[in-house]
Amino acid sequence: LVFRFAAVDRPLCCTFVCFRPWFKPHPTSNKYTAAAAPKNKLTQNHRHRDRAPMSKRTAKQSAAAKRGKEKAPAVPASDEDMLAIRGIRKEMDKSKADPTLEELGVKDITEVAEMEDEEVRTTIERVMVSIALSILQGDGFEYHIPSRDKANQHYIAELDRIVLRNVMKTRVFASMASVRKTAIMTRVLELIHQVVGKGIHITKRDLFYTDVKLFENQKQSDGVLDDVACMVGCTRTSLNVVASDKGIVIGRVTFEEDGDFIDCTRMGVGGKAIPSLVNKINNIKGDAEFILLVEKDAAFMRLAEDRFYNQYPCVIITGKGQPDVATRLFLKKVRTALKIPVLGLFDSDPHGLKILSVYMSSSQNMSYDSSSLTTSDIKWLGVRPTDLQKYKIPAQCRLPMSDDDILVGERLLQEDFILKNPAWVEELKLMIRTKEKAEIQALSNFGFQYLTQVYLPQKIKAGDWI
């Protein structure tokens, strides 16, 4: 092969000649074969130049594959590391089942239950027949629905969850104040009747787009959807209207989803999307010893990529911020099936603590279904305000709390589910006093794998949760 390099500013050409027999000659030839060819530096360089150029993406993938081969397998946690976790599991085994509302003597509470499609359809038809009779009698029509106002929320300490008092309100079609809401509710009832009659499921977005001019925005249709569930007496999922998939799970758990076997240790680094139809999940099994509930998907990605569940046998779940109904249902279902504790990893700010409280005690909007949506006794593992000093998180990694953050924190200090736990109160007071907050990613200041290699192992071994 001949390589010729010409200088730009001079009429001088330099010619280099290199002969490289990269083919095997005919057997009768006396030439040496490629295997016997001398491997000097020049011929090696030529051999690489003869190949097609590698794209940047392929080069990165090759480098990543090489690093993956060189990565040492995760060392499983020792019995000493898991001692505190197993202590909680023993306490759970000894604890009694939560009492019912009847056993606690709590009355006049609105609670809903799972219903089959036929039962939902029949209930809606019964409501519409009564409305038709009222109109024929010349009385117009109105809906009587449970009020979901904040004043009707009631916290039950023994169950550690919020319930809805049985206080009714009326929506009258003939009133200017409620005519629009009444029209929206009638339309939503009509659409749900169609959906359950066909035995299909739709998303909340689908529902909104059936009558955009009437609903105006999705908050209107979403709010009325909860009112319909309260009035019918069923869970929102029984209405066959669901939200799009949001939550993710990965780790030591297997289950069947509508007949398909799912192994959450074989879902790559992205994890398995938690399906909207959680009622189609059954036969949950696994050797996990705890559930790690993570607020954000950024921390989830780090845990998944480092295969944290191989070192510490666990199930990792995230709702990507404010959790949807499916994630909350799935968390409770896994915890009940495996009978293991739940540790919460959330940002050290009032909003992170508020999201954690939604998993534990329910949101006010869906307090009517708190029995199936809440998972009690979640341990607050971190990141807590005391961790900022304990782990010497630098000032540049901390953020000043906004006025809204402080307001949310002060309101949380007035909530019964916070006041029940003195350790939570002290942490929240420290947060408000210092006016500092920090995200989970602040730990990356010490290294991108500090979370999985130092922070969590130390916390779990010491049993440092509240």
Side-chain angles (χ1 to χ4, degrees), residues 251-267 272 280-286:
R252 310 277 275 268
V253 64
T254 64
F255 54 83
E256 291 181 6
E257 181 186 345
D258 200 22
D260 295 330
F261 180 76
I262 305 295
D263 184 351
C264 291
T265 61
R266 298 180 180 274
M267 292 293 155
K272 166 74 173 69
K280 293 185 179 293
I281 292 177
N282 53 52
N283 200 21
I284 299 174
K285 297 179 181 179

Side-chain angles (χ1 to χ4, degrees), residues 49 71 119 174-175 183-184 201 237 290 293 371 408 416 419 425:
R49 282 194 298 268
K71 186 187 295 184
E119 189 177 359
S175 170
I184 292 175
H201 293 79
T237 52
F290 65 96
L293 181 63
S371 60
V408 172
D416 292 330
L419 295 173
V425 173

Side-chain angles (χ1 to χ4, degrees), residues 116-238:
E116 297 296 330
D117 290 352
E118 181 62 25
E119 189 177 359
V120 173
R121 187 177 65 84
T122 303
T123 304
I124 292 175
E125 289 174 353
R126 192 181 304 119
V127 170
M128 301 315 294
V129 167
S130 66
I131 286 176
L133 291 174
S134 178
I135 294 173
L136 290 173
Q137 293 171 0
D139 297 328
F141 75 92
E142 58 189 23
Y143 293 110
H144 299 280
I145 58 177
S147 173
R148 294 185 292 114
D149 296 337
K150 182 176 174 59
N152 294 325
Q153 313 288 330
H154 177 55
Y155 175 74
I156 300 179
E158 293 84 354
L159 301 177
D160 192 23
R161 62 182 173 92
I162 301 171
V163 297
L164 185 65
R165 289 191 178 97
N166 191 22
V167 178
M168 307 298 287
K169 66 179 180 181
T170 305
R171 258 178 207 158
V172 184
F173 182 72
S175 170
M176 290 297 294
S178 59
V179 60
R180 189 168 177 281
K181 280 271 188 176
T182 308
I184 292 175
M185 193 159 187
T186 305
R187 178 63 168 146
V188 170
L189 281 167
E190 177 194 358
L191 295 170
I192 292 174
H193 185 265
Q194 292 179 20
V195 170
V196 297
K198 294 178 180 179
I200 60 175
H201 293 79
I202 61 172
T203 66
K204 293 192 294 182
R205 197 66 177 168
D206 290 330
L207 184 73
F208 167 67
Y209 272 105
T210 56
D211 206 331
V212 176
K213 289 186 177 180
L214 175 63
F215 299 143
E216 290 186 354
N217 61 70
Q218 192 173 327
K219 288 184 179 180
Q220 298 280 344
S221 56
D222 287 355
V224 169
L225 198 61
D226 288 322
D227 290 336
V228 169
C230 281
M231 185 179 70
V232 174
C234 67
T235 62
R236 203 174 72 182
T237 52
S238 297

Side-chain angles (χ1 to χ4, degrees), residues 383-427:
V383 175
R384 303 200 303 270
T386 51
D387 289 343
L388 305 188
Q389 186 62 34
K390 180 178 180 181
Y391 288 88
K392 296 179 173 57
I393 295 178
Q396 67 266 23
C397 297
R398 308 182 192 187
L399 299 170
M401 289 176 62
S402 64
D403 293 339
D404 180 61
D405 291 331
I406 296 173
L407 182 61
V408 172
E410 290 173 346
R411 286 177 178 172
L412 284 173
L413 282 174
Q414 300 173 8
E415 298 289 351
D416 292 330
F417 57 82
I418 296 291
L419 295 173
K420 178 187 177 182
N421 193 326
W424 284 40
V425 173
E426 291 304 314
E427 292 282 356

